[in-house]
Amino acid sequence: MNEYDDCWLRYDPVADDERRDAYRRRCAHAYVAEKAPELAAVRDELRRALPDLLGEEPHLWQHPPETVEGFLAVGTPDDMAMIAESVPVEAVESLADGGYLLRSATWNGADCLVVTAPTDRGLVYGTFRLLGLLSAGALVDDLDVREEPAHAHRLIDHWDTPFRRSVERGYGGESIFDFERLPDLRERYEDYARLLASVGVNGVVLNNVNTTKPPRASANEAFDAFEGWQLLESRRLEDLTGLASVFRRYGIRTYLSVNFAAPMLVGDLDTADPLDEDVRAWWRRKADEVYDLIPDFGGFLVKADSEGQAGPYDYGRDHVDGANAIAQALEPHGGRVWWRAFVYGSHEDRAVQAYETFEPLDGEFADNVTVQVKNGPIDFQPREPVSTLFGAMPETDLALELQITGEYTGQGVHATYHLPMWKEVFEFDTRTDGEGTPVKSLFRGDGEGIVGVGSVGEDHSWTGHYLAQANLYAFGRAAWDPDLSVEGATEEWARRTFGADEAVVDTVTEILRASYEANVDYTTGGLGLMHMMHNGEEYLENHYYPSPGEWPGYHGATADGVGVDRTSSGSGYAAQYRDPVAERYESVETCPDELLLFFHHLPWGHELADGTTVIQRLYDNCFAGVAEVERLRELWNDLEGKVDDRRHRHVARRFDEQLAQAERWCEALTDYFYEHSGIPDEHGRVPAE
């Protein structure tokens, strides 16, 4: 990775002499199985990493060496008798797909490190895990690590638009995928596969869910290239085979977003009615064609009847009819339909619609359909309540959809860490089976998982902001292990990305930990308001600048109060939860402050539990968010000389801009609140003199 940043795959030399000698004894020689493409990726990574870590090239063997003091062994117990003799085979065989065992062992008098797994992709993940431990200076004399993924599917959804290399909601530069030049392969593709595999991602959707230009975007040039349906054309599918092979080497399956009307757009039919037998036969032929070219193809992602995309409603059918028509074509090949539940437009309150649409359909979707549900009921807002669909469809495979990219959290300019937001989602107790049914305990079926809307592009940093790399890393780690703490994952990323200097690690960890709440404060006021942003025709300004007057229906600001009534006296959204969650949100007294105005329309002068009024808390939070950004900027500036100039200068400039934008948001929101409430700030900050 010379042309682009190495992210967390840096492999800095081990500084401690004793630790380095211990690593050399066990890793300077490597015996690696060879039968699968994934093992070639393992060997390549060892060739990249070990010279930097150990200061010497590894000696790779096709047989276990008997004349050295130690070696690294990578393979399944079935591949290598030496491994079967060195580890408890039953502990390996019981691991989930992707799981691995790392263990110190002695074989024939040699000190060994063993990386083993029941599957080849597990060997890839295990090798990256071991190299990460070595990079962090872990002790290896008594190493014993057994890990497996909590979720079977851990996918990245790219919103990349083919053929023009743009990325919807992408803030790291143009698309890394140059579809026009396929099947020619760029080194960038392998670098990206390495990053994903190193955090356990096992699937990638290559193109945008918006596969045709939505009617509402007619005046917006950025939408002109929404032509992803063309990837299903035969010549385009043939071009994808090499790219799929790159991902395959790293245990990652390839998926495509498809248009529901593909039988008309790609085929020559005059209908896409999911109950029409010609339509169903067309999908079967297309699936056969795809799997002939890409045998391990994962399946199709579909956005239907949403924001102008075609769907079964066009033919008087429902989502079950639409999803199952495509699923029947994929089923013989082991493929899966990922059917998004992001629907709105037929109800005054967007929040209630996904539940009202999909919950009655529970149990009717085919076994190879996964309904993909955003974390909240609105649209990736800085803070939302958890979707009421989680736990409400026990007979349907569901997936949790998170947004890695920062559409509403600063768009690659603001340093906003998403893991604290995601942990709120994971830890939320749905109470579907009584007390103790948190979101993190769901999505554990073979057809379920966690999906993240991707964030990478052509920028040197990959993500547009060096600190935004942490969101991609955190997504992979949390999708693998949702019990991983925010502190643990963040420190892990900081150490692997910025090195062993404890002052740097502690400072970066603190910046990331505090950044999320600061963003919530200055972009919403922190009491559950949302959609306070601009939604103009200029795409690059869309959802970035403050404009609370554009979305009054989402925050309910009037002269008498603020917030939206989503209780039984309003839209009824709160009642979609199970008790006692529904009861907690229904009551002003028990609803948590951070979501109070999402569920309740309250007078500006309503007193919170601490005696502060709603309007004063909104003022205080907005200004507190700005003050926190200023503090975080100073923390980063203090790292000058401790972080390389390129990254330090880039992040410092971003912090300068973030502070200016935070002040802009604060002024816009507080002025708006004052305009509607007529109540000045107790501290004289609003109205501004």
Side-chain angles (χ1 to χ4, degrees):
M1 291 189 188
N2 296 322
E3 187 178 351
Y4 305 101
D5 191 65
D6 292 329
C7 300
W8 53 87
L9 297 179
R10 293 186 177 276
Y11 304 131
D12 293 331
V14 178
D16 183 276
D17 292 343
E18 183 177 348
R19 197 68 51 85
R20 185 174 63 251
D21 289 343
Y23 293 172
R24 283 176 174 171
R25 186 173 68 253
R26 294 180 182 269
C27 299
H29 297 267
Y31 167 41
V32 183
E34 295 183 322
K35 71 172 188 177
E38 291 89 341
L39 276 302
V42 167
R43 285 174 166 261
D44 286 347
E45 199 63 27
L46 295 177
R47 292 187 183 102
R48 289 186 183 97
L50 293 180
D52 291 338
L53 288 168
L54 308 183
E56 65 178 68
E57 295 282 340
H59 193 125
L60 297 176
W61 299 84
Q62 285 75 40
H63 305 282
E66 300 184 9
T67 57
V68 300
E69 60 179 345
F71 60 92
L72 170 65
V74 183
T76 68
D78 289 341
D79 291 337
M80 303 160 84
M82 170 261 157
I83 288 180
E85 296 167 6
S86 303
V87 301
V89 174
E90 63 278 3
V92 179
E93 292 176 342
S94 61
L95 285 164
D97 183 15
Y100 50 78
L101 177 68
L102 314 179
R103 179 168 290 194
S104 303
T106 301
W107 183 81
N108 201 26
D111 293 328
C112 299
L113 279 180
V114 173
V115 177
T116 189
T119 63
D120 295 319
R121 66 168 51 91
L123 298 176
V124 175
Y125 303 147
T127 298
F128 276 113
R129 183 72 171 128
L130 175 64
L131 293 173
L133 292 172
L134 299 184
S135 297
L139 297 173
V140 296
D141 287 345
D142 296 302
L143 188 66
D144 189 4
V145 176
R146 184 182 185 275
E147 295 178 344
E148 60 186 350
H151 306 104
H153 298 276
R154 306 170 301 282
L155 273 60
I156 298 289
D157 282 2
H158 277 263
W159 285 3
D160 297 41
T161 301
F163 316 125
R164 296 196 188 182
R165 299 191 65 183
S166 62
V167 183
E168 184 186 0
R169 310 306 179 194
Y171 311 107
E174 62 269 36
S175 171
I176 67 169
F177 298 127
D178 192 344
F179 290 98
E180 289 286 12
R181 296 187 179 182
L182 291 174
D184 292 347
L185 300 177
R186 308 172 63 212
E187 184 179 351
R188 186 92 158 146
Y189 302 155
E190 184 167 19
D191 289 343
Y192 183 46
R194 292 174 56 226
L195 289 174
L196 297 185
S198 72
V199 291
V201 170
N202 67 351
V204 59
V205 183
L206 298 178
N207 61 309
N208 197 342
V209 292
N210 290 314
T211 51
T212 57
K213 175 180 171 182
R216 64 177 176 79
S218 58
N220 192 329
E221 291 184 2
F223 287 92
D224 286 348
F226 279 12
E227 49 203 4
W229 58 267
Q230 294 177 349
L231 290 181
L232 277 185
E233 294 177 344
S234 297
R235 64 190 180 100
R236 299 295 186 184
L237 289 173
E238 292 171 2
D239 288 345
L240 293 176
T241 56
L243 182 57
S245 295
V246 171
F247 285 115
R248 184 181 303 119
R249 293 180 75 234
Y250 289 88
I252 300 168
R253 298 177 77 180
T254 301
Y255 298 74
L256 289 176
S257 293
V258 298
N259 191 278
F260 184 80
M264 302 167 66
L265 295 170
V266 181
D268 57 0
L269 301 184
D270 59 5
T271 181
D273 184 345
L275 299 189
D276 186 292
E277 183 51 41
D278 289 340
V279 170
R280 297 168 71 88
W282 185 91
W283 281 112
R284 289 194 293 272
R285 291 194 300 274
K286 183 56 64 174
D288 291 345
E289 180 184 3
V290 172
Y291 281 92
D292 282 345
L293 295 167
I294 307 173
D296 64 337
F297 184 73
F300 295 141
L301 171 64
V302 186
K303 177 179 179 178
D305 290 312
S306 176
E307 297 185 319
Q309 300 298 305
Y313 286 4
D314 295 338
Y315 304 94
R317 315 302 186 188
D318 63 17
H319 288 279
V320 167
D321 296 328
N324 289 355
I326 303 175
Q328 56 89 29
L330 296 174
E331 191 274 334
H333 306 283
R336 178 161 290 274
V337 172
W338 297 76
W339 191 269
R340 293 183 88 228
F342 181 54
V343 293
Y344 65 92
S346 64
H347 198 289
E348 185 176 346
D349 181 14
R350 178 194 293 197
V352 305
Q353 189 167 343
Y355 183 95
E356 289 187 352
T357 300
F358 283 91
E359 190 276 339
L361 304 177
D362 184 35
E364 298 182 27
F365 288 96
D367 290 343
N368 62 322
V369 172
T370 301
V371 176
Q372 184 169 309
V373 185
K374 290 187 177 184
N375 59 278
I378 303 299
D379 184 21
F380 297 134
Q381 295 299 289
R383 174 173 280 136
E384 299 185 38
V386 170
S387 171
T388 51
L389 281 174
F390 298 148
M393 299 182 68
E395 303 303 318
T396 302
D397 286 335
L398 296 185
L400 164 63
E401 180 178 325
L402 304 170
Q403 193 172 51
I404 303 168
T405 190
E407 178 181 356
Y408 297 100
T409 56
Q411 300 193 356
V413 177
H414 302 205
T416 308
Y417 189 37
H418 291 176
L419 185 56
M421 170 172 51
W422 299 337
K423 286 295 286 186
E424 290 181 4
V425 176
F426 283 127
E427 298 298 332
F428 178 81
D429 193 345
T430 64
R431 302 298 289 264
T432 51
D433 293 322
E435 186 173 2
T437 317
V439 169
K440 67 182 180 183
S441 70
L442 307 176
F443 322 117
R444 300 299 179 98
D446 291 342
E448 299 185 302
I450 311 293
V451 178
V453 178
S455 60
V456 303
E458 279 290 276
D459 283 2
H460 181 269
S461 67
W462 291 84
T463 53
H465 192 308
Y466 286 101
L467 296 186
Q469 295 172 2
N471 287 328
L472 178 57
Y473 184 88
F475 169 78
R477 296 291 284 127
W480 180 281
D481 179 11
D483 286 319
L484 190 65
S485 70
V486 172
E487 294 75 15
T490 310
E491 181 180 337
E492 186 179 274
W493 175 81
R495 193 175 302 280
R496 295 190 64 180
T497 303
F498 291 101
D501 186 322
E502 293 299 329
V504 174
V505 171
D506 291 347
T507 299
V508 171
T509 300
E510 167 62 12
I511 289 171
L512 291 174
R513 184 198 62 77
S515 65
Y516 167 62
E517 206 66 50
N519 181 272
V520 171
D521 281 346
Y522 67 74
T523 61
T524 72
L527 289 178
L529 299 179
M530 55 193 61
H531 268 276
M532 313 294 282
M533 73 292 168
H534 178 54
N535 194 45
E537 288 298 325
E538 286 295 328
Y539 182 73
L540 295 179
E541 296 180 1
N542 188 273
H543 298 178
Y544 181 69
Y545 294 116
S547 187
E550 289 188 38
W551 302 84
Y554 285 100
H555 52 70
T558 61
D560 72 310
V562 64
V564 178
D565 184 359
R566 292 187 168 96
T567 68
S568 56
S569 60
S571 71
Y573 177 73
Q576 292 181 352
Y577 292 98
R578 273 64 62 197
D579 286 331
V581 178
E583 294 174 346
R584 183 168 73 246
Y585 288 148
E586 183 80 18
S587 168
V588 173
E589 286 71 32
T590 57
C591 185
D593 283 356
E594 62 267 22
L595 293 173
L596 186 62
L597 300 182
F598 181 89
F599 286 100
H600 299 275
H601 181 86
L602 298 175
W604 295 102
H606 174 83
E607 286 193 1
L608 304 175
D610 64 356
T612 307
T613 62
V614 165
I615 182 60
Q616 191 57 46
R617 179 69 67 81
L618 290 171
Y619 288 150
D620 289 346
N621 284 347
C622 287
F623 284 102
V626 174
E628 184 71 337
V629 172
E630 190 165 17
R631 182 181 78 89
L632 301 183
R633 181 183 68 161
E634 293 310 308
L635 286 176
W636 180 262
N637 288 342
D638 289 343
L639 294 180
E640 186 174 6
K642 297 180 180 180
V643 173
D644 60 273
D645 288 344
R646 180 171 191 162
R647 288 189 292 174
H648 188 272
R649 184 170 58 252
H650 172 94
V651 174
R653 288 172 176 169
R654 295 276 168 161
F655 262 125
D656 289 343
E657 183 67 18
Q658 180 178 357
L659 180 57
Q661 292 301 324
E663 291 170 343
R664 177 176 179 173
W665 273 88
C666 177
E667 181 178 358
L669 266 59
T670 55
D671 284 353
Y672 187 78
F673 297 149
Y674 175 72
E675 176 187 336
H676 285 73
S677 70
I679 302 173
D681 170 38
E682 293 175 358
H683 306 293
R685 299 165 296 189
V686 184
E689 295 182 0

